[in-house]
Amino acid sequence: MQLGAIAVVLAASTDRAFDLDRFFVPKELVLHLTALISGLLLIRRLRVNRLLVAFLGVSIFSALFATNGWVAGRAVAITASAIVLFEVGRALRDAGLGRQVAGAMALAVVVAAVTSLLQAYGIRLDIFAINRAPGGTLGNRNFVAHAAAFGLPVVLLAAMRGRRRAAIGVMLVTAALVLTRSRAAWLAFGAVVIIFVVAVVMLRLWKRLALLVVCAGAGVAIALLLPNALQWRSENPYLESVRGVVNYEEGSGHGRLVQYQRSLFMSPLIGVGPGNWAVEYPHRAPRSDPSLDQNASGMTSNPWPSSDWVAFAAERGFAAVILMACFFLALLRDGWRRLRESMDVDDRLAAAALIATIVGAGVAGAFDAVLLLAVPALIVFTTLGALSPPDAEPRGRRAWVMLIVIFICAAGVARSAAQLVAMDMYARGASLQRASKLDPGNYRLHIRLARGRQRCAHARAAHALYPNADEARALARGCR
């Protein structure tokens, strides 16, 4: 688990032809491997959270009717791995290793922040993002900001427990958060800070709070005062972002409202299929919609909507939204009860971190894609498992349920590994036909091959994956 937490942050490919996938696919492979190995090692100790398993069941049912089964399977595999890691976190907590697991998640968040800061201050590496700086090894500045927001609670927890190095981590994470200029993450950061201030007031840990305030203030000062290599178009970029935090009358804020309105009721009963928002949305939006890719007609700019909750509703139906909301609310209830009733200071701090992690991920996920991605799936769900209060829930004899979930993780490993190999073959221009067989869901491979000798076979395949894409439709025209 500790190795997986660090590896999922650092994993990236240097094949720049695939832009975000060169970050997503390696991280998904690490996520699935971590869930597969740790789940098999602890299979006899794993419990079954009915709400999460029901959410997975709804997702699988929706995937059966998806237009693009490959992206649906990819999304389902991420969900399955997140569920396994939550149960592994709980099992390790029961074994007395919850503190170590939370510490590893905190270290992973700090490592993500460090890679972002290195890029922000001029360090160039092949595994860093180029167009979305300072994304570091996460590929996008918003992803770093989200990790800083939902990961800050475990970093604060480590610092509140007296780890001096963690106090430095608070400074680094805060600096990275400021530099990213992510408004959704800033809102989540504010919510996390409020929760910890309330907890400290309840526990009267004034000296520890003062240290953290100083470290966070130092991080803000470093970000604002130390010259960096970022090239913002605005003369006062950070002030502009602060002013636009709640601006939904223009710009990206207005675009989100338009997108939410057109996405929520795409298929309220079962959804359009996990991961299939990008497949179906172009059919339901005018060409002027800001969510559409202006350089690729019939495609979206991003493969997911700008909200976890909108994605769950659009892709998996409202039943999935209710199930996930009930899961988080149940954890919030247990965490609040532990914060109020426990006599142990450390337990109450852990409860505060649990609540803050849920709120941080929930707020960031309300305005951006968070839990849909590999890094948040690993860090958030493992953290929730490790920090969740011990309960009297019986260890039901349902090992077969978790074995099925772990089998989906294994399928995710195979799928991600095949995608990586196919991406490498595409980048080297070697045996594209074989690469297409390894990764039949690779739209870009089919488009490239559709311009060759076997035009119709690959044109039809590309059109089947994204039937609203104009390029695929044009290439498939005339093919039977």
Side-chain angles (χ1 to χ4, degrees), residues 49-52 54-55 309 318-334 358:
N49 185 285
R50 294 182 178 88
L51 290 171
L52 287 180
F55 178 83
W309 300 101
F318 282 99
V321 176
I322 294 171
L323 288 168
M324 186 58 73
C326 288
F327 166 72
F328 284 128
L329 288 173
L331 283 181
L332 284 172
R333 177 201 61 198
D334 295 341
I358 296 172

CSV table of all heavy atoms in Angstrom, one decimal, residues 49-52 54-55 309 318-334 358:
chain,number,residue,atom,x,y,z
A,49,ASN,N,-18.6,-3.6,2.2
A,49,ASN,CA,-19.5,-2.5,2.4
A,49,ASN,C,-20.6,-2.6,1.4
A,49,ASN,O,-20.4,-2.5,0.2
A,49,ASN,CB,-18.7,-1.2,2.2
A,49,ASN,CG,-19.5,0.1,2.5
A,49,ASN,OD1,-20.3,0.4,1.7
A,49,ASN,ND2,-19.2,0.7,3.6
A,50,ARG,N,-21.8,-2.7,1.9
A,50,ARG,CA,-22.9,-3.0,1.0
A,50,ARG,C,-23.2,-1.8,0.0
A,50,ARG,O,-23.6,-2.0,-1.1
A,50,ARG,CB,-24.2,-3.3,1.8
A,50,ARG,CG,-24.1,-4.6,2.6
A,50,ARG,CD,-25.4,-4.9,3.4
A,50,ARG,NE,-25.3,-6.1,4.1
A,50,ARG,CZ,-24.9,-6.3,5.3
A,50,ARG,NH1,-24.4,-5.2,5.9
A,50,ARG,NH2,-24.8,-7.4,5.9
A,51,LEU,N,-23.0,-0.6,0.5
A,51,LEU,CA,-23.3,0.6,-0.3
A,51,LEU,C,-22.3,0.6,-1.5
A,51,LEU,O,-22.7,0.9,-2.6
A,51,LEU,CB,-23.2,1.9,0.5
A,51,LEU,CG,-24.3,2.0,1.6
A,51,LEU,CD1,-24.0,3.2,2.5
A,51,LEU,CD2,-25.7,2.3,0.9
A,52,LEU,N,-21.0,0.4,-1.2
A,52,LEU,CA,-20.1,0.4,-2.3
A,52,LEU,C,-20.3,-0.7,-3.3
A,52,LEU,O,-20.1,-0.5,-4.5
A,52,LEU,CB,-18.6,0.4,-1.7
A,52,LEU,CG,-18.2,1.7,-1.0
A,52,LEU,CD1,-16.7,1.5,-0.5
A,52,LEU,CD2,-18.2,2.9,-2.0
A,54,ALA,N,-23.1,-2.2,-3.9
A,54,ALA,CA,-24.3,-1.9,-4.7
A,54,ALA,C,-23.9,-0.8,-5.8
A,54,ALA,O,-24.4,-0.9,-6.9
A,54,ALA,CB,-25.4,-1.3,-3.8
A,55,PHE,N,-23.1,0.2,-5.4
A,55,PHE,CA,-22.7,1.2,-6.4
A,55,PHE,C,-22.0,0.5,-7.6
A,55,PHE,O,-22.2,0.9,-8.7
A,55,PHE,CB,-21.8,2.2,-5.7
A,55,PHE,CG,-21.2,3.3,-6.6
A,55,PHE,CD1,-22.0,4.4,-6.9
A,55,PHE,CD2,-20.0,3.1,-7.2
A,55,PHE,CE1,-21.5,5.4,-7.8
A,55,PHE,CE2,-19.5,4.1,-8.0
A,55,PHE,CZ,-20.2,5.2,-8.3
A,309,TRP,N,-20.2,14.2,-9.4
A,309,TRP,CA,-21.6,13.9,-9.1
A,309,TRP,C,-22.4,14.0,-10.4
A,309,TRP,O,-23.3,13.2,-10.6
A,309,TRP,CB,-22.1,14.9,-8.0
A,309,TRP,CG,-21.3,14.7,-6.7
A,309,TRP,CD1,-20.3,15.5,-6.3
A,309,TRP,CD2,-21.4,13.6,-5.8
A,309,TRP,NE1,-19.8,15.0,-5.1
A,309,TRP,CE2,-20.4,13.8,-4.8
A,309,TRP,CE3,-22.2,12.5,-5.7
A,309,TRP,CZ2,-20.2,13.0,-3.7
A,309,TRP,CZ3,-22.0,11.6,-4.7
A,309,TRP,CH2,-21.1,11.8,-3.7
A,318,PHE,N,-29.2,8.1,-11.3
A,318,PHE,CA,-29.4,8.7,-10.0
A,318,PHE,C,-29.3,7.7,-8.9
A,318,PHE,O,-29.0,8.1,-7.7
A,318,PHE,CB,-30.7,9.5,-10.0
A,318,PHE,CG,-30.7,10.8,-10.7
A,318,PHE,CD1,-31.2,10.9,-12.0
A,318,PHE,CD2,-30.1,11.9,-10.1
A,318,PHE,CE1,-31.1,12.1,-12.7
A,318,PHE,CE2,-30.0,13.1,-10.8
A,318,PHE,CZ,-30.5,13.2,-12.1
A,319,ALA,N,-29.5,6.4,-9.1
A,319,ALA,CA,-29.4,5.4,-8.0
A,319,ALA,C,-27.9,5.4,-7.6
A,319,ALA,O,-27.6,5.3,-6.4
A,319,ALA,CB,-29.8,4.1,-8.5
A,320,ALA,N,-27.0,5.5,-8.5
A,320,ALA,CA,-25.6,5.5,-8.2
A,320,ALA,C,-25.2,6.7,-7.3
A,320,ALA,O,-24.5,6.6,-6.4
A,320,ALA,CB,-24.7,5.5,-9.4
A,321,VAL,N,-25.8,7.9,-7.7
A,321,VAL,CA,-25.5,9.1,-6.9
A,321,VAL,C,-26.0,8.9,-5.5
A,321,VAL,O,-25.3,9.2,-4.5
A,321,VAL,CB,-26.2,10.3,-7.5
A,321,VAL,CG1,-26.1,11.5,-6.7
A,321,VAL,CG2,-25.7,10.6,-8.9
A,322,ILE,N,-27.2,8.3,-5.3
A,322,ILE,CA,-27.8,8.1,-3.9
A,322,ILE,C,-26.9,7.2,-3.1
A,322,ILE,O,-26.6,7.4,-2.0
A,322,ILE,CB,-29.2,7.6,-4.1
A,322,ILE,CG1,-30.1,8.7,-4.7
A,322,ILE,CG2,-29.7,7.2,-2.7
A,322,ILE,CD1,-31.5,8.2,-5.0
A,323,LEU,N,-26.5,6.1,-3.8
A,323,LEU,CA,-25.6,5.1,-3.1
A,323,LEU,C,-24.3,5.7,-2.6
A,323,LEU,O,-23.9,5.5,-1.5
A,323,LEU,CB,-25.4,3.9,-4.0
A,323,LEU,CG,-26.6,3.0,-4.2
A,323,LEU,CD1,-26.3,2.0,-5.4
A,323,LEU,CD2,-27.0,2.2,-3.0
A,324,MET,N,-23.6,6.4,-3.5
A,324,MET,CA,-22.4,7.0,-3.1
A,324,MET,C,-22.6,8.1,-2.0
A,324,MET,O,-21.7,8.2,-1.1
A,324,MET,CB,-21.7,7.6,-4.3
A,324,MET,CG,-20.2,8.1,-4.1
A,324,MET,SD,-19.1,6.9,-3.4
A,324,MET,CE,-18.8,5.8,-4.8
A,325,ALA,N,-23.6,8.9,-2.2
A,325,ALA,CA,-23.9,9.9,-1.2
A,325,ALA,C,-24.2,9.3,0.2
A,325,ALA,O,-23.7,9.8,1.2
A,325,ALA,CB,-25.1,10.8,-1.6
A,326,CYS,N,-24.9,8.2,0.2
A,326,CYS,CA,-25.2,7.5,1.5
A,326,CYS,C,-23.9,6.9,2.1
A,326,CYS,O,-23.7,6.9,3.3
A,326,CYS,CB,-26.2,6.4,1.3
A,326,CYS,SG,-27.9,6.9,0.9
A,327,PHE,N,-23.0,6.4,1.3
A,327,PHE,CA,-21.7,5.9,1.8
A,327,PHE,C,-20.9,7.0,2.5
A,327,PHE,O,-20.5,6.9,3.6
A,327,PHE,CB,-20.9,5.4,0.6
A,327,PHE,CG,-19.5,5.1,0.9
A,327,PHE,CD1,-19.1,4.1,1.7
A,327,PHE,CD2,-18.5,5.9,0.4
A,327,PHE,CE1,-17.7,3.9,2.0
A,327,PHE,CE2,-17.1,5.7,0.7
A,327,PHE,CZ,-16.8,4.7,1.5
A,328,PHE,N,-20.8,8.2,1.8
A,328,PHE,CA,-20.1,9.3,2.4
A,328,PHE,C,-20.8,9.8,3.7
A,328,PHE,O,-20.2,10.2,4.7
A,328,PHE,CB,-19.9,10.4,1.4
A,328,PHE,CG,-18.8,10.1,0.4
A,328,PHE,CD1,-19.1,10.3,-0.9
A,328,PHE,CD2,-17.6,9.8,0.8
A,328,PHE,CE1,-18.1,10.0,-1.9
A,328,PHE,CE2,-16.6,9.5,-0.1
A,328,PHE,CZ,-16.8,9.6,-1.5
A,329,LEU,N,-22.1,9.9,3.6
A,329,LEU,CA,-22.9,10.4,4.8
A,329,LEU,C,-22.7,9.5,6.0
A,329,LEU,O,-22.6,10.0,7.1
A,329,LEU,CB,-24.3,10.6,4.4
A,329,LEU,CG,-24.7,11.8,3.5
A,329,LEU,CD1,-26.1,11.7,3.1
A,329,LEU,CD2,-24.3,13.1,4.1
A,330,ALA,N,-22.7,8.2,5.8
A,330,ALA,CA,-22.5,7.2,6.8
A,330,ALA,C,-21.1,7.4,7.5
A,330,ALA,O,-21.0,7.4,8.7
A,330,ALA,CB,-22.7,5.8,6.3
A,331,LEU,N,-20.1,7.6,6.7
A,331,LEU,CA,-18.8,7.9,7.2
A,331,LEU,C,-18.7,9.2,8.0
A,331,LEU,O,-18.1,9.3,9.0
A,331,LEU,CB,-17.7,7.9,6.1
A,331,LEU,CG,-17.3,6.5,5.5
A,331,LEU,CD1,-16.3,6.7,4.4
A,331,LEU,CD2,-16.8,5.6,6.6
A,332,LEU,N,-19.4,10.2,7.4
A,332,LEU,CA,-19.4,11.5,8.1
A,332,LEU,C,-20.1,11.4,9.5
A,332,LEU,O,-19.6,11.9,10.5
A,332,LEU,CB,-20.2,12.5,7.3
A,332,LEU,CG,-19.4,13.1,6.1
A,332,LEU,CD1,-20.3,14.0,5.2
A,332,LEU,CD2,-18.2,13.9,6.6
A,333,ARG,N,-21.2,10.6,9.5
A,333,ARG,CA,-21.9,10.4,10.8
A,333,ARG,C,-21.0,9.7,11.8
A,333,ARG,O,-20.9,10.2,13.0
A,333,ARG,CB,-23.1,9.6,10.6
A,333,ARG,CG,-23.9,9.2,11.8
A,333,ARG,CD,-24.8,8.0,11.5
A,333,ARG,NE,-24.0,6.8,11.2
A,333,ARG,CZ,-24.4,5.8,10.5
A,333,ARG,NH1,-25.7,5.7,10.2
A,333,ARG,NH2,-23.6,4.7,10.3
A,334,ASP,N,-20.3,8.7,11.4
A,334,ASP,CA,-19.4,7.9,12.3
A,334,ASP,C,-18.3,8.8,12.7
A,334,ASP,O,-17.8,8.7,13.9
A,334,ASP,CB,-18.9,6.6,11.6
A,334,ASP,CG,-20.1,5.7,11.4
A,334,ASP,OD1,-21.1,5.8,12.0
A,334,ASP,OD2,-19.9,4.8,10.5
A,358,ILE,N,-13.4,13.7,3.4
A,358,ILE,CA,-14.7,13.5,2.7
A,358,ILE,C,-15.1,14.8,2.1
A,358,ILE,O,-15.5,15.0,1.0
A,358,ILE,CB,-15.7,12.9,3.6
A,358,ILE,CG1,-15.3,11.5,4.0
A,358,ILE,CG2,-17.1,12.9,2.9
A,358,ILE,CD1,-16.2,10.9,5.1
